[in-house]
Amino acid sequence: MNRSAIIRGLAAGIAAACMVALAGIGSLLSVALFYAATLPLFIVGLGWGLHASIASIVSGALTTFMMVGPTGGAMFVVAFAIPSGWLCYLALLYRPDEGDENAAANYLNWYPVGRIVGWIAAIAAGLTLLGIFVFGGSPEGFSDFIRDSLGPMLMTMDEAGNPQPASAAEIDRLVEMMVSLIPVMLVASWMTVTSINLYGGAKIAFLSGRLLRPWPDLHQIELPVRFAIIPISAFLISFLNGWIGLAATVVLTAAIGAYVIQGLSILHDVT
């Protein structure tokens, strides 16, 4: 076990935890640091390996627990630490080339970037559904949570231009819209931020000569062929009510996000 890697992992976890804790300040800089919280986790995970990644998860979790309490610590572990560690583990997976016996000793097949994108989509969908369950317990409970959270803050203007509390009908319309938009926004934002931080962490590790795998060809990201079944099935199921329809909508959003990433890579290659 590399002691230097462990130390760097511990430091990265503490840095990530501090970036998450600073979100409570509410400034623009603190928000930016919050969104970049997984960047140090990706740097050590891709540059120093599995042991450093595990050390960053442990130190980050303990630091967040001490700084913001059990709820914030649990959020850090579930939404930041474990996903980043898993993605680093996948990125560093490889196997010898089985197509050519002469090249098997020298050529390695690394875990495809397209599959990593698929995992990012899957994790985003899972975390979104977990959040809805934690805060609402069901789609109806999630609606009640949004209504209780936003209802007292909603104001409208009367004919004289004076603010007044929104009516029940207006609140119901907004809650219905937010119930549809929030899961989509959560999936899209998590996928975007995680993809950017993963790329940034890999690029920093590569430029510093520490990246533990060859730099992949990001111009031709290919999702597995069977992945196409997911958005088609999710679209058909999303018309159902309750948990099933909501889960299908979340999965459909994540699948579309994965194809957007693939499309951007192809567009970049063409242009």
Side-chain angles (χ1 to χ4, degrees):
M1 185 178 297
N2 191 327
R3 180 179 298 179
S4 174
I6 299 298
I7 294 174
R8 284 174 168 81
L10 294 174
I14 294 172
C18 292
M19 294 165 76
V20 170
L22 287 174
I25 298 177
S27 66
L28 184 61
L29 177 60
S30 65
V31 173
L33 290 174
F34 174 81
Y35 282 119
T38 54
L39 181 59
L41 304 180
F42 283 127
I43 293 174
V44 296
L46 297 173
W48 281 268
L50 180 62
H51 291 153
S53 184
I54 294 174
S56 68
I57 292 173
V58 173
S59 65
L62 293 176
T63 304
T64 313
F65 269 104
M66 290 186 293
M67 295 182 69
V68 297
T71 301
M75 183 200 74
F76 175 86
V77 172
V78 174
F80 293 88
I82 292 179
S84 64
W86 177 247
L87 292 174
C88 288
Y89 169 75
L90 292 176
L92 298 179
L93 283 179
Y94 64 87
R95 65 183 181 185
D97 185 8
E98 300 175 353
D100 186 348
E101 295 181 358
N102 297 325
N106 301 317
Y107 184 77
L108 300 176
N109 284 320
W110 293 88
Y111 197 77
V113 177
R115 292 182 180 269
I116 295 176
V117 172
W119 271 106
I120 292 175
I123 296 171
L127 289 176
T128 299
L129 292 174
L130 177 62
I132 293 174
F133 178 79
V134 169
F135 289 104
S138 66
E140 295 77 15
F142 185 58
S143 299
D144 294 336
F145 172 77
I146 296 176
R147 181 178 289 103
D148 295 339
S149 301
L150 299 181
M153 297 184 293
L154 297 178
M155 305 293 289
T156 59
M157 294 293 181
D158 58 19
E159 295 180 356
N162 299 317
Q164 62 179 4
S167 64
E170 291 170 327
I171 293 176
D172 289 339
R173 285 197 299 270
L174 180 61
V175 168
E176 183 179 357
M177 180 182 67
M178 295 299 290
V179 167
S180 301
L181 287 179
I182 286 178
V184 173
M185 294 169 59
L186 289 175
V187 171
S189 62
W190 195 92
M191 288 188 67
T192 301
V193 170
T194 301
S195 299
I196 292 174
N197 286 338
L198 176 58
Y199 174 83
K203 196 67 174 180
I204 292 173
F206 174 75
L207 293 176
S208 62
R210 291 294 317 182
L211 186 62
L212 298 178
R213 64 169 287 171
W215 185 256
D217 183 6
L218 300 180
H219 298 157
Q220 297 180 354
I221 296 176
E222 296 182 1
L223 291 166
V225 176
R226 289 174 292 181
F227 191 85
I229 300 174
I230 297 176
I232 296 173
S233 303
F235 174 75
L236 297 175
I237 299 173
S238 64
F239 292 98
L240 299 177
N241 296 323
W243 262 115
I244 297 177
L246 178 60
T249 301
V250 171
V251 171
L252 176 61
T253 304
I256 292 174
Y259 278 109
V260 168
I261 295 176
Q262 177 180 265
L264 291 174
S265 72
I266 296 174
L267 180 64
H268 186 272
D269 183 47
V270 172
T271 56

